[in-house]
Amino acid sequence: MMSNMQTNSDSMMDDISMLDMGELFGEDKTEKPAGALGMDMFRDVPLTVTLEVSSTEVTLGELSGAEAGDVLPLDKPIGEPLDVKVNGVLFAKAEVVMVNGKYGLKFVSTQNSPTRHA
């Protein structure tokens, strides 16, 4: 029973891993064979995407003593890609870019692809 569930889960993950952002946002207009169960049924499911710059551990005493102008050093080196999380789960690494005067994310790798260096 477990191996059958694992096989179905692996198959679904293979389908998900083959998606690109264009497909996720409806830009892929290729027709699918009739009766094919694609990701179409999930396109309108809302997801929370967050960008995590870095994290660090501090004590409650250190944090409660923080004042305006204080600096809290973080662990991540400058220039290292940032973590993109979907519903709290690591999805990709990205760089922050400007798009029409707004912040955007340029994906440099996803969980299923090797890191690309530009």
Side-chain angles (χ1 to χ4, degrees):
M1 178 89 169
M2 182 62 120
S3 64
N4 188 25
M5 286 176 40
Q6 182 67 33
T7 302
N8 289 340
S9 175
D10 290 345
S11 175
M12 181 178 274
M13 290 308 292
D14 288 343
D15 290 344
I16 292 171
S17 68
M18 290 189 284
L19 295 176
D20 64 19
M21 291 304 291
E23 290 172 320
L24 286 175
F25 292 109
E27 297 169 6
D28 183 17
K29 302 298 182 192
T30 58
E31 291 193 27
K32 294 179 175 64
L37 177 63
M39 293 299 293
D40 291 340
M41 62 192 288
F42 298 107
R43 288 190 185 275
D44 294 330
V45 174
L47 302 172
T48 300
V49 177
T50 57
L51 178 66
E52 184 175 286
V53 174
S54 184
S55 62
T56 192
E57 289 188 19
V58 297
T59 65
L60 180 58
E62 291 170 327
L63 190 59
S64 65
E67 297 178 5
D70 287 351
V71 175
L72 179 64
L74 301 173
D75 297 332
K76 189 171 289 205
I78 292 177
E80 187 175 319
L82 308 178
D83 295 336
V84 178
K85 294 186 175 183
V86 177
N87 290 350
V89 177
L90 182 63
F91 172 74
K93 299 281 187 174
E95 298 171 347
V96 177
V97 296
M98 293 297 290
V99 180
N100 298 325
K102 296 181 180 181
Y103 290 112
L105 297 177
K106 177 182 177 184
F107 292 97
V108 295
S109 70
T110 63
Q111 282 303 99
N112 295 321
S113 69
T115 302
R116 291 180 289 173
H117 298 285

